Amino acid sequence: MSLSNHQEEVILDILGLAHQYNFIELEAAISDYLKEILNTKNVCTIFDAARLYNLEFLIKFCYEFMDKHAMEIMEHESFLQLSSSALLDLLTRDSFYASEINIFLSVHSWVKANPHVKADDILSQVRLSLISISDLLSVVRPTGLISPDAILDAIAINTQTRNLHLRHRGFLLLDENVVHPRYGAQVLQGEMCSYLLNGDTENYDIEKGYTRHTITDNLENCILIKLGSQCIINHMKMLLWDRDERSYSYYIEVSMDEKDWVKVIDHSQYFCRSWQYLYFKPQVVLYIRIVGTNNTVNKVFHLVNFEAYYIHHNEKLVNGFIAPTNNIATIERSACVTEGVSRSRNTLLNGDFQTYDWDRGYTCHQLNSGCIQVQLGQPYMIDSMRLLLWDLDNRSYCYYIQVSGNSKTWETVVDNSKELRQSWQTLRFSPRPVVFIRIVGTHNTANEVFHCVHFECPAQISEAKSPGSQKTKEAIRDTEDLTVNHQIPQPSLSEASNEAVNTDRENDRSIENLDCSLEEGSP
């Protein structure tokens, strides 16, 4: 049966029969077809039918369409045929965006077209406090739909309540970057502002490719963005200039009128670097103000790219900070190793906890000198960590771990300085905002160097322990049984260069022999 040969009324009748007799596949097929033909003329009829038959997927699709085309839908005659319950649901949505006076006038037309329907609940969803005082008096009052007391209350709220506390409406564009020139966004303030919204996150250096402002206590020194229209957002993503190891501090505020501001992100007391992934409660926004408060190199705040979205996400927020469930100590999440010796700078964070030996695959520091330090891209609410101590023989280590938000004030969260520890370490502590993690080795039963193969936070406890680690231990036990005087080469800090290990050729041959036995004995 071809649905395109039938009128919409017939298709909706067939949908009703499919629902009545529980023909699930037919019901789904008709719903998909209705999605394809949805337009401003038929959406109200289809929306009512979808609600009647409780077709959640089709209802959601209609909501999204109506949010984007609110004004056109209210102007069409089919709007007057909406059921009262459907209209009520529509008006409760913050994302059903049109000027409130136009919404009132459309509701007024609906009330006149449906004189036998009690409209008190529907009228209560018109946000009178968003209508100007002149329109309340000259347009709303003469209709007689709203009582004089309600109009006076709306005027009082309009004049006495902070703008950000009003229930604004705004466009909701799911997964769309609304801070983009195609949506009319523009940078109103900031030096070299043409770079910020051009989408280029590759071609920037010390001289170009970023927008900046001087860091002072004056709020006029900031980066200010105006959206093309007021939008609902709950996520921002931005790239701090990261061609060296500097860090920045900042906060972000949003506003509807450029007078009354609400702070949605406050990283002013924390050091941040590179890409920032920011989440907050949904806000209706017209202006965004990014204020840099610190640069560890100079007094200028540099921002390469900025984006804002409304997205569906599972990030948990605690006191304004993300409490992650996935490992955020990764290169992809802007983390880096700032102290410690290894053949590759970020070996500790590359996620490889199976490929390591006596020569490579770990990060180390000399006991009683230095540490291993990791910097996360931004502050996260952390309550656990997991690390793998080098474990290719029976040695044990002692260590402690400190955390900080700005590398100045430190607090100890783990103290194993008097306990011998081996291999995998899963560590838990009370949650707190963390940017820097400092791992300090205090003892090694084999030599004077502390070695760490892998680090993650929060602890990914679902992952199995390193198979390579277990295979190596079994192979070492076999080797000890077969050789009496064989010495397993020990890791040592290079005395001649910044390389992690300086192993002579004889030890290299021993390692190669051991590697072969591991491969032959692996399961």
Side-chain angles (χ1 to χ4, degrees):
M1 180 177 67
S2 176
L3 295 176
S4 60
N5 296 328
H6 297 277
Q7 294 182 345
E8 291 170 6
E9 293 79 2
V10 175
I11 296 173
L12 292 175
D13 287 340
I14 297 172
L15 177 64
L17 291 172
H19 180 79
Q20 180 179 351
Y21 293 103
N22 201 29
F23 294 155
I24 297 176
E25 292 184 2
L26 178 59
E27 185 179 76
I30 296 174
S31 296
D32 288 340
Y33 176 75
L34 291 174
K35 281 172 49 184
E36 293 178 5
I37 65 169
L38 200 68
N39 57 52
T40 55
K41 298 178 181 179
N42 63 21
V43 64
C44 291
T45 305
I46 293 174
F47 179 53
D48 260 332
R51 294 182 74 260
L52 178 64
Y53 304 132
N54 198 29
L55 304 176
E56 293 294 336
F57 188 72
L58 186 56
I59 292 172
K60 180 181 177 183
F61 193 85
C62 289
Y63 273 142
E64 293 175 358
F65 183 88
M66 298 171 92
D67 286 347
K68 292 179 180 179
H69 305 279
M71 198 62 221
E72 300 97 305
I73 290 168
M74 289 191 299
E75 291 175 345
H76 194 267
E77 59 183 13
S78 63
F79 179 80
L80 305 179
Q81 300 168 10
L82 268 176
S83 66
S84 58
S85 58
L87 179 56
L88 183 65
D89 282 354
L90 203 58
L91 295 179
T92 60
R93 293 173 62 80
D94 292 342
S95 52
F96 187 70
Y97 174 62
S99 68
E100 207 65 26
I101 188 61
N102 285 330
I103 290 177
F104 172 80
L105 291 173
S106 297
V107 170
H108 181 216
S109 298
W110 185 92
V111 171
K112 289 195 297 183
N114 298 272
H116 302 298
V117 179
K118 190 175 181 180
D120 291 349
D121 289 342
I122 293 172
L123 289 169
S124 70
Q125 295 304 318
V126 178
R127 304 174 188 185
L128 298 176
S129 59
L130 299 180
I131 300 175
S132 68
I133 296 175
S134 61
D135 282 341
L136 284 172
L137 297 177
S138 63
V139 179
V140 175
R141 183 170 175 269
T143 64
L145 288 178
I146 307 297
S147 69
D149 286 344
I151 292 176
L152 288 175
D153 289 342
I155 293 174
I157 294 172
N158 191 302
T159 56
Q160 299 174 13
T161 304
R162 293 181 64 186
N163 187 275
L164 62 90
H165 291 154
L166 298 176
R167 282 190 63 202
H168 291 286
R169 300 181 189 270
F171 279 116
L172 194 155
L173 301 175
L174 185 63
D175 298 327
E176 288 283 336
N177 174 24
V178 297
V179 184
H180 193 281
R182 70 173 173 268
Y183 293 119
Q186 56 184 317
V187 181
L188 301 182
Q189 202 167 320
E191 299 177 32
M192 304 165 64
C193 60
S194 61
Y195 290 110
L196 187 61
L197 307 182
N198 66 5
D200 187 351
T201 58
E202 299 293 335
N203 301 306
Y204 60 97
D205 54 32
I206 195 67
E207 296 180 350
K208 64 181 187 302
Y210 55 82
T211 299
R212 68 188 180 191
H213 78 80
T214 304
I215 298 174
T216 66
D217 293 332
N218 188 349
L219 283 179
E220 291 184 0
N221 290 322
C222 66
I223 296 173
L224 179 63
I225 300 170
K226 182 181 180 181
L227 278 60
S229 59
Q230 55 200 64
C231 294
I232 303 174
I233 60 173
N234 65 351
H235 171 53
M236 297 174 183
K237 185 170 70 170
M238 67 182 194
L239 175 58
L240 301 171
W241 195 90
D242 61 354
R243 294 307 194 200
D244 59 21
E245 295 183 0
R246 74 183 64 194
S247 297
Y248 297 88
S249 304
Y250 64 91
Y251 63 87
I252 300 177
E253 296 177 316
V254 297
S255 174
M256 283 295 297
D257 59 2
E258 208 178 352
K259 297 176 182 178
D260 200 7
W261 295 88
V262 58
K263 191 175 291 184
V264 293
I265 300 293
D266 188 358
H267 290 168
S268 58
Q269 302 301 314
Y270 301 89
F271 285 2
C272 307
R273 66 175 305 276
S274 196
W275 280 103
Q276 305 290 288
Y277 302 92
L278 312 170
Y279 300 86
F280 46 90
K281 293 180 180 179
Q283 293 277 348
V284 181
V285 170
L286 186 58
Y287 297 92
I288 300 172
R289 182 164 68 188
I290 307 113
V291 182
T293 60
N294 188 44
N295 177 344
T296 55
V297 173
N298 56 38
K299 288 293 184 180
V300 180
F301 182 78
H302 307 89
L303 189 58
V304 176
N305 186 71
F306 186 87
E307 301 170 12
Y309 300 84
Y310 182 89
I311 64 171
H312 295 309
H313 66 87
N314 297 317
E315 299 289 353
K316 179 184 177 183
L317 297 177
V318 178
N319 298 330
F321 301 101
I322 300 172
T325 54
N326 295 323
N327 177 25
I328 43 81
T330 65
I331 312 303
E332 294 74 21
R333 281 283 170 173
S334 304
C336 66
V337 178
T338 57
E339 292 189 41
V341 181
S342 62
R343 288 195 181 275
S344 176
R345 178 187 177 194
N346 290 309
T347 296
L348 190 66
L349 309 179
N350 65 7
D352 185 358
F353 49 76
Q354 299 187 29
T355 309
Y356 62 98
D357 54 27
W358 292 259
D359 186 43
R360 68 190 71 242
Y362 56 84
T363 302
C364 63
H365 79 85
Q366 188 80 37
L367 298 183
N368 302 314
S369 175
C371 64
I372 297 173
Q373 183 169 294
V374 175
Q375 180 181 356
L376 305 178
Q378 65 192 66
Y380 291 94
M381 192 64 72
I382 300 297
D383 63 358
S384 67
M385 301 174 183
R386 190 166 175 253
L387 56 91
L388 173 59
L389 303 175
W390 194 91
D391 61 352
L392 298 189
D393 60 14
N394 291 323
R395 73 184 61 202
S396 298
Y397 296 91
C398 299
Y399 64 91
Y400 63 89
I401 298 178
Q402 297 177 317
V403 298
S404 173
N406 55 16
S407 77
K408 298 176 182 177
T409 305
W410 296 87
E411 55 182 338
T412 300
V413 293
V414 175
D415 188 357
N416 289 329
S417 59
K418 300 185 185 304
E419 300 179 27
L420 293 176
R421 296 282 181 151
Q422 293 182 319
S423 195
W424 283 102
Q425 307 288 294
T426 299
L427 313 166
R428 302 190 180 280
F429 44 89
S430 59
R432 65 204 67 204
V434 173
V435 175
F436 294 91
I437 302 102
R438 176 191 286 168
I439 308 168
V440 182
T442 59
H443 184 64
N444 178 347
T445 56
N447 58 31
E448 295 299 312
V449 182
F450 179 82
H451 311 86
C452 188
V453 174
H454 172 77
F455 176 83
E456 65 190 29
C457 70
Q460 304 297 286
I461 55 176
S462 62
E463 294 182 6
K465 288 188 176 181
S466 165
S469 173
Q470 297 300 323
K471 288 192 300 180
T472 304
K473 287 185 176 181
E474 293 173 4
I476 288 174
R477 286 196 293 269
D478 293 341
T479 305
E480 289 173 345
D481 291 339
L482 295 173
T483 59
V484 178
N485 297 320
H486 179 68
Q487 296 289 326
I488 297 177
Q490 307 296 341
S492 60
L493 195 67
S494 173
E495 297 177 358
S497 67
N498 287 331
E499 293 182 342
V501 176
N502 182 16
T503 309
D504 61 26
R505 293 182 180 178
E506 180 178 351
N507 285 347
D508 282 342
R509 286 193 295 271
S510 299
I511 293 171
E512 291 171 1
N513 292 337
L514 182 58
D515 287 342
C516 291
S517 69
L518 289 176
E519 293 175 0
E520 293 170 359
S522 59

